[in-house]
C-alpha cells in the first residue's frame, strides 16, 4: 500500500526513496460525505510523486505515481478490503 500522507509531508525516506520535500504543494480532495477522494502532491500545478485515490466509503481504490503530470511506475488497484486486485506497469503500457 502507499506511504502514509504524514510521512510524505515530513520528507522521510520510505522504501529507499526520498519523499517530496516541503517545496511540493500537498493536494487533497474530499467527497460530498467528507471522505478523502484523493491526495498527493503538485509540482508547478501538475500531479507529482505518490498519489492515493479512495472510494466514497473511504476504502483505498488505487495507488499511483506521477512525474510532473505523466503517469509512471506501477499503479495498484485495490478491492474494498484493501487487497491488490491489479497491478499495471505504466512504463510497459499494460
Amino acid at each position: 500500500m502507499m506511504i502514509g500522507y504524514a510521512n510524505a509531508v515530513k520528507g522521510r525516506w520510505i522504501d529507499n526513496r526520498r519523499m517530496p520535500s516541503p517545496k511540493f504543494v500537498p493536494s487533497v480532495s474530499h467527497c460530498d460525505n467528507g471522505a478523502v477522494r484523493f491526495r498527493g502532491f503538485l509540482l508547478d500545478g501538475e500531479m507529482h510523486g505518490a498519489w492515493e485515490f479512495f472510494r466514497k466509503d473511504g476504502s483505498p481504490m488505487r495507488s499511483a505515481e506521477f512525474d510532473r503530470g505523466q503517469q509512471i511506475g506501477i499503479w495498484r488497484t485495490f478491492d474494498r478490503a484493501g487487497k491488490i486486485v491489479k497491478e499495471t506497469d505504466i512504463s510497459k503500457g499494460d
Side-chain angles (χ1 to χ4, degrees), residues 23-64:
K23 70 180 182 176
F24 289 79
V25 178
S27 179
V28 179
S29 179
H30 294 85
C31 299
D32 292 339
N33 67 3
V36 173
R37 185 171 71 187
F38 60 78
R39 64 182 170 204
F41 293 88
L42 299 175
L43 179 61
D44 297 329
E46 296 181 311
M47 297 170 117
H48 190 77
W51 279 74
E52 297 175 302
F53 301 87
F54 301 90
R55 295 180 182 85
K56 284 187 177 185
D57 66 7
S59 63
M61 181 173 61
R62 184 165 292 118
S63 66

Side-chain angles (χ1 to χ4, degrees), residues 6-17:
N7 289 340
V9 171
K10 293 179 182 176
R12 295 183 180 176
W13 287 87
I14 305 293
D15 295 332
N16 295 320
R17 293 188 348 231

